[in-house]
PDB file of all heavy atoms in Angstrom:
ATOM      1  N   GLY A 798      85.273  89.404  98.829  1.00  0.00           N
ATOM      2  CA  GLY A 798      83.803  89.509  98.668  1.00  0.00           C
ATOM      3  C   GLY A 798      83.338  90.779  97.991  1.00  0.00           C
ATOM      4  O   GLY A 798      82.234  90.851  97.534  1.00  0.00           O
ATOM      5  N   SER A 800      83.886  93.351  94.927  1.00  0.00           N
ATOM      6  CA  SER A 800      84.579  93.425  93.591  1.00  0.00           C
ATOM      7  C   SER A 800      85.503  94.564  93.480  1.00  0.00           C
ATOM      8  O   SER A 800      86.471  94.481  92.733  1.00  0.00           O
ATOM      9  CB  SER A 800      83.494  93.470  92.467  1.00  0.00           C
ATOM     10  OG  SER A 800      82.593  94.542  92.772  1.00  0.00           O
ATOM     11  N   ALA A 810      89.895 104.487 105.454  1.00  0.00           N
ATOM     12  CA  ALA A 810      90.921 105.439 105.040  1.00  0.00           C
ATOM     13  C   ALA A 810      90.455 106.412 104.046  1.00  0.00           C
ATOM     14  O   ALA A 810      90.731 107.634 104.142  1.00  0.00           O
ATOM     15  CB  ALA A 810      92.125 104.686 104.424  1.00  0.00           C
ATOM     16  N   VAL A 843     104.229  95.855 112.039  1.00  0.00           N
ATOM     17  CA  VAL A 843     103.429  97.044 112.498  1.00  0.00           C
ATOM     18  C   VAL A 843     104.340  97.945 113.202  1.00  0.00           C
ATOM     19  O   VAL A 843     104.285  99.225 112.989  1.00  0.00           O
ATOM     20  CB  VAL A 843     102.284  96.570 113.471  1.00  0.00           C
ATOM     21  CG1 VAL A 843     101.476  97.818 113.839  1.00  0.00           C
ATOM     22  CG2 VAL A 843     101.423  95.546 112.858  1.00  0.00           C
ATOM     23  N   LEU A 853      92.107  96.567 114.277  1.00  0.00           N
ATOM     24  CA  LEU A 853      92.268  95.152 114.365  1.00  0.00           C
ATOM     25  C   LEU A 853      90.854  94.448 114.325  1.00  0.00           C
ATOM     26  O   LEU A 853      90.051  94.770 115.118  1.00  0.00           O
ATOM     27  CB  LEU A 853      92.973  94.734 115.612  1.00  0.00           C
ATOM     28  CG  LEU A 853      93.055  93.270 115.991  1.00  0.00           C
ATOM     29  CD1 LEU A 853      93.826  92.428 114.946  1.00  0.00           C
ATOM     30  CD2 LEU A 853      93.677  93.055 117.433  1.00  0.00           C
ATOM     31  N   GLY A 854      90.688  93.542 113.404  1.00  0.00           N
ATOM     32  CA  GLY A 854      89.475  92.722 113.324  1.00  0.00           C
ATOM     33  C   GLY A 854      89.862  91.228 113.089  1.00  0.00           C
ATOM     34  O   GLY A 854      90.336  90.970 112.013  1.00  0.00           O
ATOM     35  N   GLN A 870      92.167  84.652 123.583  1.00  0.00           N
ATOM     36  CA  GLN A 870      92.265  85.797 124.439  1.00  0.00           C
ATOM     37  C   GLN A 870      93.750  86.067 124.818  1.00  0.00           C
ATOM     38  O   GLN A 870      94.174  87.201 124.858  1.00  0.00           O
ATOM     39  CB  GLN A 870      91.448  85.645 125.718  1.00  0.00           C
ATOM     40  CG  GLN A 870      91.434  86.869 126.594  1.00  0.00           C
ATOM     41  CD  GLN A 870      90.265  86.917 127.609  1.00  0.00           C
ATOM     42  OE1 GLN A 870      89.309  86.223 127.445  1.00  0.00           O
ATOM     43  NE2 GLN A 870      90.531  87.607 128.664  1.00  0.00           N
ATOM     44  N   ASN A 891      84.663  93.797 117.110  1.00  0.00           N
ATOM     45  CA  ASN A 891      84.263  92.429 117.560  1.00  0.00           C
ATOM     46  C   ASN A 891      83.636  91.716 116.349  1.00  0.00           C
ATOM     47  O   ASN A 891      83.632  92.262 115.226  1.00  0.00           O
ATOM     48  CB  ASN A 891      83.449  92.422 118.788  1.00  0.00           C
ATOM     49  CG  ASN A 891      82.102  93.048 118.656  1.00  0.00           C
ATOM     50  OD1 ASN A 891      81.662  93.481 117.571  1.00  0.00           O
ATOM     51  ND2 ASN A 891      81.394  93.211 119.785  1.00  0.00           N
ATOM     52  N   LYS A 902      73.301  78.511 107.394  1.00  0.00           N
ATOM     53  CA  LYS A 902      72.290  77.500 107.109  1.00  0.00           C
ATOM     54  C   LYS A 902      72.917  76.242 106.498  1.00  0.00           C
ATOM     55  O   LYS A 902      72.329  75.232 106.431  1.00  0.00           O
ATOM     56  CB  LYS A 902      71.232  78.075 106.110  1.00  0.00           C
ATOM     57  CG  LYS A 902      70.485  79.294 106.711  1.00  0.00           C
ATOM     58  CD  LYS A 902      69.428  79.815 105.705  1.00  0.00           C
ATOM     59  CE  LYS A 902      68.821  81.066 106.180  1.00  0.00           C
ATOM     60  NZ  LYS A 902      69.658  82.246 106.111  1.00  0.00           N
ATOM     61  N   GLU A 918      83.291  88.349 124.185  1.00  0.00           N
ATOM     62  CA  GLU A 918      83.601  88.722 125.573  1.00  0.00           C
ATOM     63  C   GLU A 918      85.096  88.759 125.742  1.00  0.00           C
ATOM     64  O   GLU A 918      85.625  89.668 126.448  1.00  0.00           O
ATOM     65  CB  GLU A 918      83.019  87.661 126.545  1.00  0.00           C
ATOM     66  CG  GLU A 918      81.487  87.956 126.818  1.00  0.00           C
ATOM     67  CD  GLU A 918      80.793  86.651 127.350  1.00  0.00           C
ATOM     68  OE1 GLU A 918      81.430  85.820 127.958  1.00  0.00           O
ATOM     69  OE2 GLU A 918      79.571  86.600 127.143  1.00  0.00           O
ATOM     70  N   LEU A 929      91.835  99.762 124.620  1.00  0.00           N
ATOM     71  CA  LEU A 929      91.516  99.790 123.167  1.00  0.00           C
ATOM     72  C   LEU A 929      90.087 100.288 123.013  1.00  0.00           C
ATOM     73  O   LEU A 929      89.304 100.115 123.860  1.00  0.00           O
ATOM     74  CB  LEU A 929      91.664  98.388 122.607  1.00  0.00           C
ATOM     75  CG  LEU A 929      92.867  97.527 122.963  1.00  0.00           C
ATOM     76  CD1 LEU A 929      92.793  96.258 122.106  1.00  0.00           C
ATOM     77  CD2 LEU A 929      94.167  98.244 122.673  1.00  0.00           C
ATOM     78  N   ARG A 944      68.374  94.204 107.548  1.00  0.00           N
ATOM     79  CA  ARG A 944      67.921  95.365 106.795  1.00  0.00           C
ATOM     80  C   ARG A 944      68.590  95.362 105.394  1.00  0.00           C
ATOM     81  O   ARG A 944      68.075  95.917 104.495  1.00  0.00           O
ATOM     82  CB  ARG A 944      68.412  96.618 107.597  1.00  0.00           C
ATOM     83  CG  ARG A 944      68.048  97.944 106.985  1.00  0.00           C
ATOM     84  CD  ARG A 944      68.229  99.100 107.912  1.00  0.00           C
ATOM     85  NE  ARG A 944      69.518  99.125 108.543  1.00  0.00           N
ATOM     86  CZ  ARG A 944      70.635  99.646 108.006  1.00  0.00           C
ATOM     87  NH1 ARG A 944      70.636 100.118 106.708  1.00  0.00           N
ATOM     88  NH2 ARG A 944      71.791  99.707 108.655  1.00  0.00           N
ATOM     89  N   ASP A 947      71.713  92.353 100.940  1.00  0.00           N
ATOM     90  CA  ASP A 947      72.963  92.240 100.157  1.00  0.00           C
ATOM     91  C   ASP A 947      74.171  92.491 100.989  1.00  0.00           C
ATOM     92  O   ASP A 947      75.225  92.827 100.450  1.00  0.00           O
ATOM     93  CB  ASP A 947      72.878  93.280  98.985  1.00  0.00           C
ATOM     94  CG  ASP A 947      72.499  94.682  99.480  1.00  0.00           C
ATOM     95  OD1 ASP A 947      72.245  94.888 100.645  1.00  0.00           O
ATOM     96  OD2 ASP A 947      72.548  95.581  98.609  1.00  0.00           O
ATOM     97  N   ALA A 965      82.394 100.126 107.560  1.00  0.00           N
ATOM     98  CA  ALA A 965      83.293 101.353 107.673  1.00  0.00           C
ATOM     99  C   ALA A 965      82.486 102.505 108.261  1.00  0.00           C
ATOM    100  O   ALA A 965      83.008 103.254 109.111  1.00  0.00           O
ATOM    101  CB  ALA A 965      83.749 101.716 106.299  1.00  0.00           C
ATOM    102  N   THR A 974      87.115 110.550 115.795  1.00  0.00           N
ATOM    103  CA  THR A 974      87.412 111.233 117.087  1.00  0.00           C
ATOM    104  C   THR A 974      88.910 111.027 117.461  1.00  0.00           C
ATOM    105  O   THR A 974      89.524 111.966 117.935  1.00  0.00           O
ATOM    106  CB  THR A 974      86.514 110.642 118.164  1.00  0.00           C
ATOM    107  OG1 THR A 974      85.170 110.778 117.753  1.00  0.00           O
ATOM    108  CG2 THR A 974      86.621 111.381 119.493  1.00  0.00           C
TER     109      THR A 974
END
Side-chain angles (χ1 to χ4, degrees):
S800 50
V843 183
L853 170 63
Q870 186 164 336
N891 65 8
K902 297 181 187 72
E918 280 160 25
L929 314 185
R944 179 169 53 81
D947 51 355
T974 306

